[in-house]
Amino acid sequence: MTSFQGPATFAPHAATELQLLPLRFERLGANRFLVANFVGDLLLFNEEELDRTVSLAIAPGDGLYERAFEKLLVTRKKQRSQLQLLALRLRSRMSFLREPTPLHLFVVTLRCEHSCPYCQVSRRSAERDRFDMSEELALRAVDVALSAPPPRIKIEFQGGEPLLNFELVRKIVGAVHERAPARNKTVQFVIASNLALLSDEVLKFCQENDILLSTSLDGPADLHNRNRPRPGGNSHELAVAGIRRAQKVLGRSRVGALMTTTEASLTRVEEIVDEYLSLDLDGIFLRPLSPYGFAIKTKQFERYDGAAWLAFYERGLRYIIEVNKRGRYFPEFYAALLLKRMLSDRPIGYVDLRSPAGIGLGALVYNYDGKVFASDEGRMLAEMGDRTFELGDLQKDGYRSLVLSDKLVGLIGNTLAQCAPQCSSCAYESHCGAEPVYHHATQGDAVGIKPLSEFCARQKGVLQLLFEILDSGGEDAAVLRRWASG
Amino acid sequence: MTPLALAGAAIAVSGATPSERRMVLRVRDPRSVAEIDDRDGALIRDEEDLLAARARRFKTAVFLEGASLPDNADGFEVTVRLGERFDHLGDGDIVGLDPGSLRLRVLYRRASKHNSFLVTERCSHYCLMCSQPPRNVKDGWIIDEIASCIDLLDPATDSVGFTGGEPLLEWRRFIALLAVFRGRLPETAVHVLTNGRAFAAEEVTAAWAALGFQRLTAGIPLYSAVDAVHDYVVQARDAFDDTVLGILRLKDKGQRVEVRVVLHAVTAPRLRETCAWLARNLPFVDHVALMGLENTGFALANQDLLWIDPLDYQADLACGVDMLRAAGVNVSIYNLPLCLLDRSVWDIAVQSISDWKNGYLPECDGCAARRRCAGFFSSGRPRFSRGVNPIAVADLRANLRGHSEITTARDAP
């Protein structure tokens, strides 16, 4: 029998045989570093471990070599498998790019019967002729949307309150049903509505056309009604009634709700979550205010800072995790989205969190007046007089001229997180995205200075929080892992 | 606990042409067989078998030792006499026999779910725990022998394995054999146990994929996510790199791949990390098998290096399985009895040990899970955990909901 060789025979002959692979790191504490490999796998090192890894002072048996190799931080120079793993995983993570512009937003009217002080779209209360989309423009928009390459697209009706122009919604859905089969497209519809005007007729139409409803629910009645005033002060009552009816007629999974955090929400996250639980909604999205529209004009946006929101978010997340530990599957959707990116390589092309940015490549917005925008936030800015993200006009443009416009290519090309200052070296880059509209709006520059960016602070805060919970293990981590695989 | 005899020697062979180096023989029940092939031999246990064999004009007779027969039992062109150890042979089974040396191997047992063809004893690895230690011998004839018995296999055979050695050392001949096999048994699932290194070469993977064989799986051992550890276990430098590349190439071509991790004292300490790595880097493989060690072959020689009580990696195994499942990976546990596993993984513990070398302990008689349990290897020199312990009915029912084979110890055979 040939004798067996010891482990040393199979170790790299020398440190010169090793090579460092791309990595990014972030100091979390005095002697605590978060290290990310090229595709965003995260691990913790102390300073000595980080130093030894980057200087390749590691060898099998020391425990550090094993960790660094498993996490694709190092390779032997002639090895191919480590690089192939990184390449295929990166390809998978970025493969949402194979399906440009899956989302199309139709602003069928800017009118709304609510008068929310935080309204980010600057709604109007009157002048049907001026602020409703015309049928002619709507049909042009349908053709543009159906020209987008993916076989499956989503059309979302936005406002204002889209049910104030429900007749146009009907016509658009009808036109899509007529035109989509010839182009081999499957179209999913969503109506984003406050549900105050939800009639049996609308519900029946949604049922017949497999339309999802997405609504706003800010929490318990007093908070919701304070955030979302309407004549009669009954926004909460109508939203709750609408959600219940929609659940009954369309099915539980066919209606979802979003919340917006205002200063008044900050101390009440448990009540907000309870409200969602009592309505048997399938999860919650804890959302900060965005710096657009009335949120700026009424100074709602500046009432709390990133740190205050993060504290709110963490308290909410931990409360939601407890709910899950008691046996109810109830994700916080933003965490779920980030966790999918942290724990898998599925191509999560959430339009607001991509690099290249999701403007145009993720979504197009057809405004009531025929202008086409690269994102929902882009049209919000335009209502404030800033047309930076206006790509063209339905009267003269088609899908190609909009998406291949110099304006869009320039905006996207200049904002890649992979090479933007302070993003390119950020440990969280793989799980984040470029946010050109936000940074343009807040800093007057589409790239922005990240240490001054509340978007950046929020992202880092949430991602670090999720990492810490995962790293602490136990039941809390198990809950997060379930969300990621959901 | 003793394994079934699948290899050994015949007591005597007469009538076979001396020049015939090896013969392939399918044993038949002479009383029930429909058509007779030249390579069929009547299995004779008693006088009725003998009369039926004569009536059906069998040219070959296989006599089992101890059969009570009249004196005039001869009169066949070829006569094979086998010892009692081969009493398990039944209708449709196939043996390979060397008339000169009387060496005999059972190639196929029709009633078994665990048929596996050894393709070669040669291997490019020299694994610390190899249960089938490789030998550097000229055994290219084995592929020919397998090829010559493919048309004797029952077309209803559900699954067949090919193993080694490393079956793909002579990859052109082996893939040609698979093509013949597929032509004859297109419905049969085929599992090839290979170290996967050959697939690092594109032409091998292309030839494999060109078979167009839906039910073909490459079962590829990968013992660690650390190159130095894997290479040490298989005793070959660069093995990790080739094997991972091979897996990637196979999946790139849409081929089925099973990753097999054998758990022992060298691999178990990083079991959690290995599972986490699989979940992140190879979640697209079709199956991951986490396997208990068979204490035979080289595993015996390296016992001091390899032995770990499965109880000592029980928690890591449960954690690893949880990570793989969360990533959507189809995972099973092989070769480990339920009493040594965390209850959270009982549902994926499979009765994986081939029937001919599967056994149970006296303690198992009082166990409610016996009929659902992988039990133990009877091969080699079995070594038992301190945790072997009968499972109570209530425990089993509470932790294996929906499984029909839950039984009380009284029902167990």
Side-chain angles (χ1 to χ4, degrees):
Chain A
M1 190 186 291
T2 318
S3 62
F4 295 95
Q5 306 293 311
T9 311
F10 306 96
H13 292 311
T16 52
E17 203 184 324
L18 290 177
Q19 184 185 339
L20 196 63
L21 292 167
L23 61 80
R24 305 180 176 103
F25 61 91
E26 168 113 358
R27 187 191 284 272
L28 297 186
N31 193 23
R32 217 165 156 253
F33 291 84
L34 181 69
V35 179
N37 68 13
F38 194 53
V39 288
D41 293 339
L42 301 170
L43 75 163
L44 281 175
F45 273 163
N46 62 31
E47 189 156 3
E48 188 223 337
E49 289 166 335
L50 180 59
D51 282 347
R52 280 176 51 206
T53 302
V54 297
S55 56
L56 296 171
I58 53 177
D62 66 9
L64 192 52
Y65 176 89
E66 284 78 4
R67 290 174 71 196
F69 194 90
E70 282 163 350
K71 290 287 186 178
L72 310 177
L73 299 176
V74 296
T75 183
R76 292 191 210 188
K77 280 174 184 163
K78 61 177 180 168
Q79 274 174 341
R80 301 150 293 172
S81 57
Q82 296 286 77
L83 294 173
Q84 286 299 329
L85 287 172
L86 286 173
L88 84 91
R89 291 183 54 189
L90 185 65
R91 186 175 60 181
S92 172
R93 297 180 71 87
M94 300 297 284
S95 61
F96 59 81
L97 290 170
R98 288 180 182 153
E99 304 215 324
T101 328
L103 178 62
H104 300 265
L105 285 81
F106 285 61
V107 183
V108 292
T109 179
L110 197 58
R111 293 182 300 124
C112 183
E113 54 12 294
H114 273 63
S115 50
C116 310
Y118 62 44
C119 180
Q120 291 146 65
V121 307
S122 311
R123 63 97 203 186
R124 302 293 171 143
S125 52
E127 290 189 88
R128 174 179 285 268
D129 293 345
R130 209 174 134 202
F131 297 110
D132 279 14
M133 183 182 258
S134 72
E135 187 177 339
E136 183 209 344
L137 288 174
L139 295 179
R140 282 178 185 274
V142 166
D143 280 331
V144 174
L146 292 177
S147 306
R152 279 182 301 277
I153 62 169
K154 185 186 268 189
I155 288 180
E156 183 171 317
F157 297 106
Q158 274 281 359
E161 169 50 49
L163 296 186
L164 283 170
N165 197 4
F166 182 59
E167 273 318 300
L168 189 67
V169 171
R170 269 185 188 286
K171 283 178 181 150
I172 292 169
V173 172
V176 168
H177 284 325
E178 262 173 43
R179 299 175 193 187
R183 295 176 185 246
N184 288 320
K185 302 275 180 208
T186 313
V187 183
Q188 171 71 61
F189 297 100
V190 183
I191 300 178
S193 164
N194 59 42
L195 300 186
L197 305 173
L198 185 70
S199 62
D200 289 342
E201 182 200 2
V202 171
L203 270 178
K204 186 160 175 281
F205 181 76
C206 290
Q207 192 180 21
E208 287 166 358
N209 292 281
D210 204 17
I211 297 175
L212 296 164
L213 289 174
S214 170
T215 193
S216 297
L217 183 68
D218 281 2
D222 68 302
L223 176 61
H224 179 99
N225 287 335
R226 184 169 149 192
N227 283 351
R228 304 180 58 79
R230 80 183 293 276
N234 60 350
S235 174
H236 181 266
E237 192 185 316
L238 294 174
V240 166
I243 289 168
R244 292 215 165 102
R245 281 165 71 207
Q247 285 173 331
K248 203 170 153 200
V249 177
L250 305 178
R252 179 174 174 261
S253 65
R254 310 300 290 171
V255 55
L258 294 169
M259 64 78 65
T260 302
T261 310
T262 59
E263 188 190 16
S265 320
L266 290 177
T267 57
R268 303 182 62 179
V269 71
E270 294 87 354
E271 290 172 77
I272 295 168
V273 172
D274 288 345
E275 182 77 11
Y276 276 66
L277 288 169
S278 71
L279 277 166
D280 199 26
L281 288 159
D282 56 10
I284 191 168
F285 197 146
L286 298 175
R287 277 196 318 173
L289 264 175
S290 299
Y292 311 104
F294 297 167
I296 295 292
K297 205 161 137 190
T298 62
K299 304 196 189 314
Q300 288 275 329
F301 177 70
E302 54 193 66
R303 296 269 179 83
Y304 61 85
D305 62 10
W309 184 83
L310 269 175
F312 164 84
Y313 183 84
E314 174 166 1
R315 200 169 128 189
L317 184 71
R318 293 198 184 274
Y319 183 70
I320 293 166
I321 289 173
E322 291 308 314
V323 168
N324 282 266
K325 279 157 74 175
R326 289 196 297 270
R328 172 143 179 203
Y329 182 79
F330 184 83
E332 197 285 306
F333 290 127
Y334 196 60
L337 181 90
L338 294 172
L339 287 162
K340 282 187 177 95
R341 290 174 55 154
M342 293 167 78
L343 298 175
S344 83
D345 299 313
R346 280 181 284 170
I348 307 298
Y350 179 64
V351 292
D352 294 338
L353 213 55
R354 289 174 164 202
S355 179
I359 50 174
L361 290 182
L364 283 174
V365 182
Y366 312 104
N367 210 11
Y368 62 90
D369 58 2
K371 301 295 184 209
V372 182
F373 292 92
S375 77
D376 208 21
E377 292 75 15
R379 64 120 174 176
M380 296 173 186
L381 276 184
E383 292 298 334
M384 303 163 74
D386 178 344
R387 296 168 54 174
T388 307
F389 297 92
E390 184 179 310
L391 299 180
D393 195 311
L394 288 169
Q395 300 284 6
K396 56 179 176 55
D397 287 302
Y399 178 77
R400 289 181 69 83
S401 67
L402 292 163
V403 167
L404 298 178
S405 60
D406 289 346
K407 191 172 194 175
L408 184 64
V409 172
L411 282 166
I412 291 174
N414 291 333
T415 58
L416 289 169
Q418 289 88 339
C419 46
Q422 292 184 300
C423 292
S424 65
S425 58
C426 176
Y428 302 110
E429 188 278 321
S430 299
H431 311 309
C432 198
E435 252 285 31
V437 189
Y438 179 96
H439 291 110
H440 172 83
T442 53
Q443 299 188 13
D445 177 80
V447 174
I449 299 165
K450 296 301 179 329
L452 303 177
S453 162
E454 291 213 337
F455 165 80
C456 177
R458 272 200 318 268
Q459 285 297 105
K460 283 186 158 184
V462 173
L463 285 160
Q464 184 180 339
L465 173 63
L466 295 175
F467 173 77
E468 300 279 15
I469 296 174
L470 287 172
D471 189 59
S472 68
E475 269 193 83
D476 289 16
V479 167
L480 296 194
R481 287 202 303 269
R482 276 201 293 281
W483 294 353
S485 53
Chain B
M1 296 204 311
T2 45
L4 226 52
L6 295 184
I11 297 168
V13 178
S14 65
T17 326
S19 64
E20 203 174 354
R21 192 163 169 267
R22 286 185 66 90
M23 57 191 275
V24 165
L25 193 63
R26 175 168 62 180
V27 300
R28 308 306 317 249
D29 175 351
R31 288 188 265 173
S32 63
V33 67
E35 281 174 52
I36 302 170
D37 186 277
D38 272 356
R39 291 163 291 174
D40 283 341
L43 187 63
I44 298 175
R45 289 187 164 89
D46 57 28
E47 190 166 355
E48 271 189 68
D49 287 337
L50 178 66
L51 293 173
R54 282 183 177 147
R56 305 300 300 275
R57 297 173 193 279
F58 270 92
K59 290 179 183 161
T60 304
V62 180
F63 291 97
L64 279 165
E65 194 181 23
S68 55
L69 293 169
D71 294 340
N72 61 341
D74 288 338
F76 295 92
E77 284 181 29
V78 179
T79 303
V80 179
R81 293 186 189 280
L82 298 181
E84 270 177 320
R85 309 167 58 225
F86 293 101
D87 190 41
H88 61 79
L89 288 175
D91 186 48
D93 292 356
I94 300 172
V95 298
L97 179 65
D98 178 355
S101 69
L102 301 183
R103 294 298 304 168
L104 170 140
R105 287 195 308 138
V106 179
L107 301 175
Y108 168 80
R109 290 185 307 125
R110 187 171 150 192
S112 172
K113 289 178 182 166
H114 302 283
N115 277 300
S116 179
F117 293 99
L118 181 121
V119 176
T120 175
E121 292 192 76
R122 287 166 293 148
C123 193
S124 47
H125 284 175
Y126 205 74
C127 299
L128 296 174
M129 67 295 183
C130 184
S131 61
Q132 178 77 50
R135 295 198 304 149
N136 194 10
V137 289
K138 282 185 84 173
D139 58 6
W141 56 269
I142 298 180
I143 285 186
D144 297 330
E145 180 177 271
I146 298 169
S148 70
C149 77
I150 283 176
D151 65 331
L152 297 178
L153 300 178
D154 183 351
T157 303
D158 183 60
S159 66
V160 152
F162 289 93
T163 177
E166 170 49 46
L168 282 146
L169 283 183
E170 290 188 59
W171 63 271
R172 285 196 172 83
R173 288 183 71 212
F174 179 64
I175 289 175
L177 176 73
L178 290 178
V180 173
F181 188 94
R182 187 189 174 222
R184 165 77 182 169
L185 297 104
E187 305 297 323
T188 303
V190 174
H191 188 279
V192 178
L193 194 54
T194 162
N195 63 38
R197 297 183 68 175
F199 297 114
E202 200 173 356
E203 61 173 339
V204 180
T205 316
W208 179 272
L211 288 167
F213 209 155
Q214 288 287 324
R215 301 191 70 197
L216 174 63
T217 302
I220 301 179
L222 192 58
Y223 299 120
S224 173
V226 181
D227 58 348
V229 177
H230 177 83
D231 289 2
Y232 167 51
V233 172
V234 307
Q235 295 279 301
R237 271 182 88 88
D238 303 326
F240 176 88
D241 199 42
D242 286 345
T243 295
V244 172
L245 269 180
I247 291 169
L248 296 183
R249 281 208 196 279
L250 283 170
K251 289 315 299 174
D252 187 46
K253 294 238 181 258
Q255 301 302 299
R256 297 180 57 82
V257 173
E258 171 189 75
V259 168
R260 300 165 76 98
V261 186
V262 176
L263 307 175
H264 50 59
V266 178
T267 58
R270 295 195 78 77
L271 176 56
R272 283 177 197 238
E273 289 83 357
T274 304
C275 291
W277 181 86
L278 285 168
R280 284 315 309 263
N281 292 281
L282 301 177
F284 42 76
V285 298
D286 301 273
H287 185 223
V288 170
L290 304 170
M291 305 169 59
L293 181 66
E294 179 179 3
N295 211 32
T296 190
F298 285 163
L300 286 175
N302 290 314
Q303 272 200 78
D304 294 343
L305 195 61
L306 299 177
W307 169 253
I308 176 173
D309 188 328
L311 216 51
D312 295 329
Y313 60 70
Q314 185 187 63
D316 296 321
L317 181 58
C319 175
V321 166
D322 185 49
M323 286 188 280
L324 286 165
R325 283 169 147 176
V329 178
N330 178 21
V331 52
S332 304
I333 295 172
Y334 285 178
N335 310 349
L336 287 167
L338 289 174
C339 56
L340 301 182
L341 298 175
D342 188 274
R343 285 164 180 73
S344 69
V345 301
W346 277 8
D347 59 320
I348 58 159
V350 178
Q351 290 185 297
S352 52
I353 300 176
S354 300
D355 52 359
W356 62 273
K357 54 178 177 180
N358 195 190
Y360 295 85
L361 297 175
E363 291 96 307
C364 302
D365 291 342
C367 177
R370 180 176 164 140
R371 280 171 60 181
R372 247 300 266 122
C373 179
F376 302 88
F377 285 103
S378 58
S379 47
R381 202 178 310 143
R383 203 164 159 173
F384 302 106
S385 163
R386 64 186 189 278
V388 173
N389 202 13
I391 293 168
V393 181
D395 191 5
L396 188 66
R397 290 224 165 103
N399 291 292
L400 255 185
R401 276 173 213 286
H403 284 265
S404 56
E405 288 190 41
I406 294 178
T407 168
T408 61
R410 204 180 51 242
D411 300 332

